[in-house]
Amino acid sequence: MDFDFSWLLLGLPFAFILGWLASRFDLRQLKLENRQAPKAYFRGLNFLLNEQQDQAIDAFIEAVQNDPDTQELHFALGNLFRRRGEYQRAVRVHEHLLGRGDLSRVDRERAQHALAQDFLRAGLLDRAEAALQKLEGTRYENEARLSLLAIYERSREWAQAAAIAQKLDDAEQASYSARRAHHLCEQAAEQLAAGDLAAAAQLLDQAAALAPQSPRPSIEIASLQLRNGDVPAAFATLAALAESAPLALPLYAAMLQQAAVACGRGPEALELLQRRYAASPSIDVLEAIMALGGTPPALQPNLVPDESADSTSNDPRNGYIEHLARQPSLVAAARWLAGETFAHEQFHPPVQKALDQATRPLMRYRCAACGFEAHQYFWHCPGCQAWDSYPPRRVEEL
């Protein structure tokens, strides 16, 4: 049977027309999708600028669906999820990016950094730590180390914090010597709690050598010396600290007074405390002076009763009066009134109780970074995690 080639010749033009129509349809569809993708993207940007995050997320999701290969859309969408607190969705977006084989090294590092930020904001510190460690050797290395340092300090892993601070110090972008000294002091406190006094002393010596301008190592060393019964050494440590760090004297004035009494060097300590008090009055330094039987240097001598007037001239509470001449202090006034006798003495106890309650908040310390107040002095603020953010003076004296 012979094949009729005329049918083939007639079918060729028809097949060409069908192919041309199909290609035109594909091109039109592609152009339509390309027009829709940037349109959704710019619509999302407009929503974002107008702080309409819900609508912006919907627009970016539409843009990603139209163009799933665009990394910038994924980054924008992931960051939006994180800002809204939808950390699981942000993690999924950034993990999807990391799972792509065609991602460039720069974008992979960026996605890894974004994923670490997702875990940090979500409070998943273990997963954040693992993600941040993968950024070692990248352009995000320094930022990752700072985040790791914050994690270790928050979780009180002082050895790891010290190692990270050492790396940051070695990078010479900023000095972390004072912070590293704090880490050593924290490790020393752990050794003291475990009963290893020798290890604690060694760590404190390292801290003092690392940050000689910081008062904490010397205060901790003096405390350890008192604990070991080496009172003269403790007094010498604190006396030297009073010369090198006089502004921190209110923190250790009571310890200095106790050490001076124990080793028989009260007059020397009294002269030192009076000299520092004259330069910077403080209720803590004042009470250390009064505990040594002295009074602050007279600013207005006529305020203190003359010795021939009555027997109250030697009252140590006169120090509070002299303090009031230097600066108004409700604390000093309340403590002076506590020892006074009044015509209506039966009303004194409730009045004194009210005064004591009113002055209690004034005896707190306040963080200069976040305003967190506490009766105890903190080297590391429990509120904002800042170091050395507490002035060594009470709220009333700020």
Side-chain angles (χ1 to χ4, degrees):
M1 177 178 170
D2 295 332
F3 183 76
D4 190 354
F5 286 97
S6 62
W7 290 102
L8 181 61
L9 294 175
L10 291 173
L12 283 175
F14 182 71
F16 175 78
I17 292 171
L18 287 178
W20 182 80
L21 289 173
S23 66
R24 292 299 297 172
F25 177 78
D26 288 340
L27 286 173
R28 290 172 66 183
Q29 182 68 21
L30 181 61
K31 288 179 180 179
L32 179 62
E33 290 178 355
N34 286 340
R35 282 198 299 269
Q36 288 176 345
K39 192 173 182 181
Y41 178 73
F42 289 120
R43 190 166 67 251
L45 284 179
N46 183 56
F47 285 133
L48 191 59
L49 290 173
N50 291 325
E51 298 184 357
Q52 297 174 282
Q53 294 189 9
D54 292 334
Q55 294 87 335
I57 286 175
D58 293 337
F60 282 133
I61 289 176
E62 180 185 346
V64 167
Q65 289 172 345
N66 291 329
D67 190 7
D69 294 331
T70 304
Q71 292 91 346
E72 290 301 326
L73 289 175
H74 285 79
F75 283 121
L77 189 57
N79 291 337
L80 268 177
F81 283 143
R82 188 194 312 134
R83 287 176 58 184
R84 280 185 50 82
E86 300 181 46
Y87 303 120
Q88 291 184 350
R89 300 179 75 180
V91 167
R92 284 201 298 270
V93 169
H94 294 129
E95 285 183 337
H96 171 72
L97 277 171
L98 287 171
R100 289 175 52 172
D102 60 340
L103 204 64
S104 67
R105 182 181 63 84
V106 172
D107 284 338
R108 187 169 298 279
E109 292 174 0
R110 184 181 173 190
Q112 184 67 42
H113 177 256
L115 182 62
Q117 296 302 310
D118 296 338
F119 290 140
L120 275 175
R121 294 286 295 274
L124 303 174
L125 299 185
D126 291 342
R127 299 183 70 179
E129 178 185 354
L132 289 167
Q133 287 173 344
K134 293 179 181 179
L135 292 170
E136 192 73 20
T138 70
R139 58 177 177 157
Y140 298 101
E141 178 181 70
N142 193 67
E143 188 176 346
R145 287 174 176 174
L146 288 172
S147 297
L148 281 171
L149 183 59
I151 289 175
Y152 291 140
E153 289 178 346
R154 183 181 301 179
S155 57
R156 303 186 66 82
E157 299 177 61
W158 301 116
Q160 293 90 328
I164 293 295
Q166 176 71 64
K167 291 181 180 180
L168 288 167
D169 224 355
D170 292 341
E172 296 183 351
Q173 295 186 0
S175 175
Y176 286 83
S177 58
R179 203 156 175 174
R180 289 167 58 197
H182 281 301
H183 297 157
L184 290 169
C185 289
E186 294 291 349
Q187 293 180 71
E190 292 177 345
Q191 295 297 327
L192 281 174
D196 193 343
L197 303 186
Q202 184 177 5
L203 289 167
L204 291 174
D205 288 339
Q206 293 175 17
L210 187 61
Q213 77 284 355
S214 176
R216 185 183 183 182
S218 295
I219 293 175
E220 302 286 357
I221 288 172
S223 178
L224 182 58
Q225 289 168 338
L226 286 174
R227 181 171 175 173
N228 290 332
D230 194 356
V231 180
F235 177 79
T237 300
L238 294 175
L241 183 60
E243 301 298 335
S244 62
L247 294 180
L249 181 57
L251 298 178
Y252 56 89
M255 190 190 306
L256 175 63
Q257 173 263 321
Q258 293 167 6
V261 171
C263 66
R265 301 178 70 175
E268 183 180 345
L270 180 59
E271 186 276 330
L272 187 153
L273 290 169
Q274 287 176 327
R275 177 159 46 87
R276 291 305 177 192
Y277 177 87
S280 180
S282 165
I283 193 73
D284 292 291
V285 178
L286 169 66
E287 294 192 330
I289 291 172
M290 292 166 61
L292 289 171
T295 57
L299 184 65
Q300 298 182 22
N302 59 336
L303 286 178
V304 180
D306 186 52
E307 290 190 7
S308 60
D310 54 47
S311 60
T312 63
S313 59
N314 294 323
D315 190 343
R317 294 183 304 108
N318 289 334
Y320 291 124
I321 297 297
E322 188 62 45
H323 186 75
L324 288 169
R326 295 173 180 273
Q327 59 185 35
S329 171
L330 184 59
V331 174
R335 293 184 179 180
W336 180 80
L337 286 170
E340 284 298 295
T341 303
F342 300 100
H344 301 285
E345 186 59 25
Q346 68 273 23
F347 302 126
H348 192 183
V351 172
Q352 189 63 46
K353 183 178 180 180
L355 283 172
D356 291 341
Q357 185 172 353
T359 58
R360 193 173 296 118
L362 301 178
M363 291 299 290
R364 295 174 181 167
Y365 297 99
R366 179 188 294 155
C367 175
C370 70
F372 186 91
E373 292 186 3
H375 288 289
Q376 175 187 351
Y377 184 86
F378 287 104
W379 299 102
H380 188 210
C381 178
C384 63
Q385 305 295 307
W387 290 99
D388 294 320
S389 59
Y390 279 83
R393 303 178 71 83
R394 310 285 182 171
V395 168
E396 187 185 54
E397 299 171 332
L398 296 178

